[in-house]
Amino acid sequence: MLVLLPPSEGKAGGSRGRPLAWESLSLPGLTEARARVLDELVALCAGDPGKAREVLGLSEGQAPEVARNAALREAPTAPAGAVYTGVLYDALDLATLSPAAKRRAGKALLIFSGLWGALRIGDRIPAYRCSAGVRLPGLGALAGHWRAPLAEVLPEVAGEGPVLDLRSSAYAALWRPAGALAERTLTVRVLQERVVDGRPKRSVVSHFNKATKGRLVRDLLAAGPLPRRAGQVAGALRDLGYRVECDAAAPNRLDVVVTEV
């Protein structure tokens, strides 16, 4: 099973750790595409900080993010699973998983990134700021840049098992499974159910959707071997106590219904 995750806007920067080593990163087929983005990003941030803030969608108060990007080649690195922070990663809480669950996470989780394309949680990277929606002056839209390299590398990574796609729309645009792989790819929609005037009403959860997805992935990793077929995923989540509904009109979507967020 492969689980596709978005990154987080916030990232934990360390003061210790060796600099980036390209050869240590997983998915080496992405190395050339990664280097092109890094070169463009570093050049932009080092050469014109004002333009960099505009391109990256940052405020003047976020100028330190630009300076950090300019120094990415020399910056200390840490495992991607520790660099990414925020609601989903707080709920996932990789650091407190059992050794067996951590091994499963290392094999199953794939984090998408505007800078790196896709990463394993153990890949050592520096903290950075570059979302998937960015258009770098010399490279164009990052979604377009990543589409072909990811399409070449990821089908083999996915193998024959199910794919659980928990990415936001911006990161889903970097790579969309096709053909038979698309048929065994599942997405998750989190719905909150509340009783209003005596009647149950549902709404799509936005912010806390991330927390639910983080807990969901953590529980799957902690439970034992991951599902080997797409048809087993809903049942596995129900066994973990989740209320999961399937819609015949959207057979590749799982609705997870919650009453509290």
Side-chain angles (χ1 to χ4, degrees):
M1 182 177 185
L2 189 66
V3 181
L4 312 182
L5 298 176
S8 61
E9 188 171 285
K11 299 172 185 70
S15 57
R16 304 173 64 181
R18 61 182 183 270
L20 176 67
W22 291 109
E23 68 277 6
S24 72
L25 297 181
S26 62
L27 312 179
L30 300 178
T31 298
E32 182 180 347
R34 288 167 172 161
R36 291 183 64 195
V37 180
L38 184 73
D39 288 346
E40 290 282 348
L41 184 62
V42 169
L44 172 66
C45 292
D48 190 340
K51 178 67 173 178
R53 287 199 306 271
E54 178 184 340
V55 169
L56 298 174
L58 303 177
S59 67
E60 290 188 13
Q62 293 173 304
E65 299 278 3
V66 175
R68 184 158 67 174
N69 279 352
L72 282 174
R73 292 192 183 91
E74 300 79 32
T77 62
V83 170
Y84 293 110
T85 60
V87 176
L88 187 152
Y89 291 90
D90 286 347
L92 178 53
D93 200 6
L94 288 165
T96 63
L97 288 172
S98 70
K102 286 180 181 177
R103 287 193 294 272
R104 284 190 282 274
K107 295 178 180 178
L109 304 187
L110 205 60
I111 304 172
F112 279 69
S113 162
L115 174 53
W116 311 107
L119 297 163
R120 298 290 193 183
I121 62 170
D123 287 336
R124 297 188 65 91
I125 59 170
Y128 66 96
R129 190 64 172 261
C130 185
S131 69
V134 163
R135 300 179 67 92
L136 291 174
L139 204 60
L142 290 179
H145 171 74
W146 282 115
R147 205 162 285 133
L150 290 170
E152 183 174 347
V153 170
L154 294 189
E156 182 177 352
V157 174
E160 300 299 322
V163 176
L164 187 61
D165 189 349
L166 304 180
R167 298 173 295 168
S168 57
S169 58
Y171 290 92
L174 270 60
W175 176 64
R176 299 187 189 280
L181 183 54
E183 294 175 4
R184 60 177 191 272
T185 297
L186 304 171
T187 61
V188 170
R189 182 174 67 167
V190 180
L191 301 173
Q192 183 183 12
E193 186 173 272
R194 295 175 295 170
V195 176
V196 179
D197 296 329
R199 300 179 64 182
K201 287 193 174 183
R202 292 181 178 181
S203 58
V204 176
V205 177
S206 54
H207 178 71
F208 290 101
N209 149 64
K210 298 177 182 179
T212 300
K213 289 179 177 178
R215 289 192 293 268
L216 179 153
V217 174
R218 179 184 176 86
D219 289 344
L220 282 171
L221 293 169
L226 295 170
R228 298 172 66 92
R229 296 185 178 85
Q232 298 173 335
V233 176
L237 291 173
R238 292 187 184 111
D239 289 345
L240 291 168
Y242 289 91
R243 182 178 168 189
V244 180
E245 298 179 359
C246 303
D247 186 345
N252 291 83
R253 188 186 71 214
L254 304 179
D255 286 341
V256 176
V257 183
V258 299
T259 55
E260 297 182 359
V261 291

